[in-house]
Amino acid sequence: MAGSAEGLYSRQLYVLGGGARRLAGARVLVSGLRGTGAQVAAALVAAGTGCVVLHDGGTARTADRGQQFLLGESDMGQNRAEASQRVLAELNPNTVVAAHTGELSEAFLASFQVVVLTESSLEEQLHIGDFCHDRGICFIVADAKGLAGQLFCDFGKHFIVEDPAEGDPVCAIVQDISQGNPGVVTYKGTEDSYGPLFSDGDLVRFSGVEGMTELNDQEPIRVRALGAFKLEICDTSSFSLYRCGGLVSQVRLRQEHSYEPMSRSLVDPKIQVVNPKELPRSRSLHAAFQALHAFRKERGHLPRPRAWADAERVLELARSLGMEQGPLDEDVVRAFASVSAGDLCPMAAITGAMAAQEVLKAITGKFLPLDQWLYFDALECMALEGAERLTEEDCAPRGSRYDGQIAIFGDAFQERLGSQKYFVVGAGAIGCELLKNFAMMGLAAGPGGDITVTDMDSIAPSNLHRQLLYRTADISKPKSEVAAAAVRCMNPDIKVTPHQNQVGPATELLYGDDFFRSLDGVASALDTLEARAYLESRCLRYLTPLLDSGTEGPRGNVLPVVPSLTDLLRPGATPRDGTFPLCTLRYFPRTIQHTLQWARDEFEGLFQLPAEHIKRFMEDPGFPEQLPAGKALEVLEQVRWSLRERPGDWRDCLRWARRHWQSRYHDAIAQLLHNYPPEHETSPGVPFWSGDKNCPHPLTFDPDNNTHLDYILAAAHLFAQAHKVPPCNDRTAARDILRGMVLPPFVPQDGLQIPLTEEQEEGQVPADTRQLAELTQDLEQRRQELVGGEVAQVPLMDPIYFDKDDDIHVNFITAASNLRAENYGIPPADWMTSKRIAGRILPAIITTTAAVAGLACLEVYKLVWGCQDLSRYRNSHLRLSDCWLLRVQPLPPRTYQYGGREWSSWDRLEMRADRQEVTVQEVLDWLKKTHGWTVTKLLHGFTMLYDREEEEDRRTQQLAQRLLENSDDTGEPRRRVLELSYVCEGEDAEAEDDARPPLLCSLP
């Protein structure tokens, strides 16, 4: 059973696994509380780390507020650690947050499990790094300078990784095992698998195999993948013949890793890169960061922005280091040095988030730590058109909170940032981080600027561990309003307008032509592919830049969609929607996903639908006549049983639950086996119970079995709630009542038909109309007895809708699913796993969302600059589980041929009318005159405006028709844009709908 802490951190637990429970006992030091350190500390506090100690000897200054989101105006002149501590202590009451302003003595450092240094000198890094290495303290350096970031990890000589990979170990159903050397296993993929589940070198165990029982419970066996759903295993030539059944499960063993101290690794660095081609660039940045430390020690300050003499001196120092890892990329070093005095909130967010994830690895043992250096940069921003003309004067400090940003992009660019109008769709995890970054950057913080943020959700407890702008006191408040208020506190100049609307077809009047045309950009922070695709379609229509961001667990991506410059989003794989064939769920489940979906259906069929049907029947007894006969009979039977089973007290609820347990887990299975015994054959020599069909067995109720009792109590509690009966949680009393219950023995029915396929299910004998009539009459009489009495003055039952954040609901689902799994020999799932699958919860963690938002904001700089050079934009793909970051140039727009010329996916035809009474004939004439095309069909949405195949009279009517006669004419904005589609003469009949440019007709 999950406690309140597990409910609070549930999404994070799905990322970090059981090791996440160690966070509560961990002590972490974060030194340096400027932008990067603030991001590290905030992520660790939100994640529930037991104690986070903040260290900084410096005082807060105005320029810090361009990236340090924990500081307010009143904190200026105060110690950064102490000022930050006050805010972080409110973020998560379960974490102890302390401030330390003294020296980092060895006695002080010895009490920590992890030490993170930001804003430290190289000498301090080396000294503390050696101390931590000798003491077995995990040591991390995180630094962001200008447009480059650096990360270093040393987790000691003997660091244990408990689980190196994402997600749960995979498990599959065995279909066949050959006798041979080596033996070959054929297994069954899951409904949502798009390829092999296992890889070369994986370790597996077998269980439940019948016939070749020698494989069961052996030591882990290393496999070789043989294409789709086949594995090569050990020598099985002497084993018994495989008969049926069994599971093959992946085994993940603990790994031990050893790391070098920074003092040795600095000279001979092990640098992690995604592509070997990136290694020379990363080695040049490795030298550049060392040279920067040397310059600062020599001059007492960082190189002045755009001061080329200072940059050349850094280059000289880098050359003098005598690097032996390859040639130095001098252009990279110069570019890095020339803006290294800059501070960007997005760079701090990325660096800090990645460092925080390494801290979580150190504590939990989940995922492989960085080995050992990582460098990344956004120096492509230096090559934006006109950026090379920026002077030292353009980038000099102004005494502004944005000085760190001005140092890179200049003062005029800061004014442009302030006047932006952006639409942020979603105020969840990514949305919070985007808004926080926008406030630090000063986006929409100047004249004419505005950010509209919309989110229809309210704040839930499970949001708090990864959505930085919310606090416990904000629970149940609208996300958009709280988020807007929070970022106004961070930057009082920012203009934010909160909405609580869903963005979709229903709100196109609100978010219509004028709204989208006023925007400079849209930032998507949505969590479904369908919603993201719809938003992209709106940006495509209005040629509005879009930043599409998404995360799942430790993975994330950012895709800038720039009009006429980049490709549009490509549709992903069909999302998993939890639907399975009905017969699989009813009779032949194979996986825990099947039993959990069955349990969800049970929940709905027991506690939601009966109440809805009774309410509707009491209001309108004739409503079943509107249903198909078979469905009507099913609904009325449900109403009759619900009225008969109405409980009088808690004992009645327990007895109902016990009877239902017997019906589902014993009687139904016994009936199935009566129809199809274990030895049944579909044809001679071909067993019925084989392949996709696991042979079940009935369960015998045992009140001392915790799963049995969990089911009874959860079911009885929900039944009592639906019928407004006070529940009781006394397990001992419930057990005593259940022991006293005696149920009649089950007698299977002969001749009962059980549909085994979808076709048989649909082709069942239609309902008996006489039986339906008798049932309707019987229920009408019962209704008359109830009407007028006190019992009918309120609903007889309250429908209960499944809520993944309600423990009783999850208790029922978990127990119901695991009992079903026991029927069929399927390994059970624990409470948290059941909640994730049944609730369709995406794993989420604050580190990924913070890094993704930082990567998105790097692209915002380019959009605001007005960049029209595709080579400067980056698609970003992130995998924090192994500290992997890939940034690549987006693809150009796809093109196609139509009407004798090439078009891109952004192209459209634009017809601007000078009056609203435009007719269909005028549209056809315009297309003929402008493009020489003869239209055979013209449509507005699904409405056919013109079809040349119609009779002449009908065509004449269509041509004379005004466009607005078939459009929704209620409350649209003053300017309306109708998107029309068409088919032209000579066009390939097989042409796809999107293989022609859309026609936009603008009416005044």
Side-chain angles (χ1 to χ4, degrees), residues 528-744:
T528 70
L529 294 176
E530 296 87 348
R532 290 161 72 178
Y534 172 80
L535 187 59
E536 185 206 34
S537 72
R538 300 297 282 171
C539 291
L540 171 63
R541 173 167 176 165
Y542 296 104
L543 300 181
T544 306
L546 168 68
L547 286 167
D548 180 81
S549 306
T551 69
E552 183 171 358
R555 296 172 182 251
N557 60 71
V558 175
L559 305 174
V561 183
V562 186
S564 304
L565 201 63
T566 69
D567 197 4
L568 298 169
L569 302 177
R570 294 183 182 273
T574 302
R576 299 188 292 267
D577 61 1
T579 58
F580 303 102
L582 192 59
C583 289
T584 298
L585 297 181
R586 283 189 176 179
Y587 308 114
F588 311 121
R590 303 184 302 273
T591 67
I592 200 67
Q593 286 82 1
H594 294 157
T595 64
L596 282 164
Q597 183 57 48
W598 179 88
R600 276 289 305 266
D601 295 344
E602 274 282 283
F603 187 101
E604 182 181 281
L606 293 173
F607 310 118
Q608 176 189 327
L609 295 179
E612 292 177 343
H613 293 153
I614 285 180
K615 180 177 184 295
R616 195 169 175 190
F617 181 77
M618 294 299 292
E619 294 172 350
D620 175 19
F623 91 90
E625 297 173 5
Q626 305 164 22
L627 304 174
K631 184 65 177 176
L633 184 62
E634 178 187 335
V635 167
L636 290 176
E637 286 281 10
Q638 193 176 62
V639 169
R640 179 169 66 178
W641 279 107
S642 297
L643 292 175
R644 284 181 179 177
E645 296 277 359
R646 291 181 63 222
D649 56 22
W650 172 246
R651 287 174 172 264
D652 287 345
C653 297
L654 284 174
R655 294 188 185 101
W656 170 87
R658 173 66 182 90
R659 290 193 299 272
H660 195 74
W661 188 103
Q662 192 72 14
S663 168
R664 286 292 185 258
Y665 303 109
H666 179 275
D667 297 356
I669 301 299
Q671 180 67 56
L672 181 61
L673 291 174
H674 177 74
N675 284 40
Y676 303 101
E679 65 278 4
H680 183 73
E681 295 182 343
T682 54
S683 59
V686 180
F688 176 83
W689 295 105
S690 62
D692 291 347
K693 300 184 181 73
N694 288 353
C695 185
H697 67 277
L699 304 185
T700 301
F701 184 75
D702 178 3
D704 294 317
N705 182 304
N706 281 332
T707 304
H708 296 197
L709 190 58
D710 287 345
Y711 175 90
I712 297 294
L713 288 174
H717 187 108
L718 291 164
F719 193 66
Q721 180 184 336
H723 289 277
K724 307 179 186 64
V725 171
C728 175
N729 295 319
D730 189 333
R731 291 177 72 89
T732 301
R735 194 177 279 116
D736 290 342
I737 294 170
L738 295 169
R739 283 198 179 100
M741 282 189 69
V742 178
L743 299 181

Side-chain angles (χ1 to χ4, degrees), residues 262-274:
M262 188 176 188
S263 54
R264 286 204 291 270
S265 186
L266 188 69
V267 179
D268 185 17
K270 188 183 290 185
I271 302 175
Q272 184 167 304
V273 292
V274 174

